[in-house]
Amino acid sequence: MKTIQLLFATMIAVSVLVIGCGGNGGDAASKSSPKTTSESGLSEFEIKNGIGPVTEEIVIGEIDAEIAQKGAEVFELKCSACHKMNERYVGPALGDILELRTPAYVMNMILNPDGMVKKHPEAKKKLQEFMTPMPNQNLSQDEARAIAEYLASDIK
């Protein structure tokens, strides 16, 4: 009987020790994962830069005229049916979009419109406002970057 009590007491002590020491693993995991907001479940990066393949901040410095011209051509072919620079159309005006959104956000909206309107609060608002989902044009990340460069340029 004393053996069973001793065994039971040992099991309780080990359990308490494991539970008490196990908390640090969770802290390490939470430090390595992106912070999420309580409302949307998105990370701070995703709230600011959108959801999609662009997972790093994009900085558009000095405009590369060749890339901006390529972006103008892609924009004319793929985007101009729904977007104008200075007026609301099927979609929102894009002339000042880089004053409102980051280049990464714009690129993620181009590259992942379905995911954005399903999960991103600002994209959801735009869908409610315009009532037309943005189609996926199947552009490459380089083409999306060229469009962002074009939108940042003076050639629009």
Side-chain angles (χ1 to χ4, degrees):
M1 185 73 163
K2 285 187 179 187
T3 307
I4 293 175
Q5 289 175 337
L6 183 60
L7 183 61
F8 185 69
T10 304
M11 286 177 28
I12 290 176
V14 169
S15 297
V16 168
L17 241 139
V18 169
I19 291 169
C21 294
N24 290 338
D27 290 344
S30 67
K31 287 179 185 172
S32 65
S33 65
K35 293 181 182 177
T36 57
T37 62
S38 59
E39 298 165 15
S40 65
L42 301 178
S43 70
E44 291 175 18
F45 177 88
E46 290 170 326
I47 292 293
K48 181 179 178 187
N49 296 290
I51 304 160
V54 180
T55 58
E56 296 180 355
E57 295 270 346
I58 301 292
V59 176
I60 297 178
E62 188 174 332
I63 301 298
D64 182 317
E66 189 176 319
I67 293 174
Q69 183 57 44
K70 178 184 175 189
E73 293 166 8
V74 175
F75 183 90
E76 183 62 32
L77 183 66
K78 298 284 189 166
C79 311
S80 65
C82 296
H83 295 283
K84 303 301 177 201
M85 287 301 147
N86 298 311
E87 65 182 277
R88 177 190 173 111
Y89 201 53
V90 176
L94 297 180
D96 65 348
I97 193 65
L98 291 176
E99 293 172 21
L100 305 171
R101 303 279 178 254
T102 67
Y105 182 99
V106 171
M107 290 175 64
N108 277 327
M109 189 66 202
I110 292 168
L111 297 169
N112 184 32
D114 297 331
M116 289 284 288
V117 297
K118 287 178 185 169
K119 297 180 182 176
H120 198 282
E122 291 303 316
K124 286 179 183 181
K125 285 180 192 175
K126 286 295 178 195
L127 179 58
Q128 289 176 348
E129 181 181 347
F130 287 88
M131 301 301 291
T132 303
M134 182 168 152
N136 189 331
Q137 297 291 337
N138 297 310
L139 298 177
S140 70
Q141 198 159 331
D142 287 340
E143 289 171 316
R145 172 61 191 248
I147 292 171
E149 193 94 13
Y150 164 63
L151 293 172
S153 75
D154 292 331
I155 64 172
K156 48 186 175 175

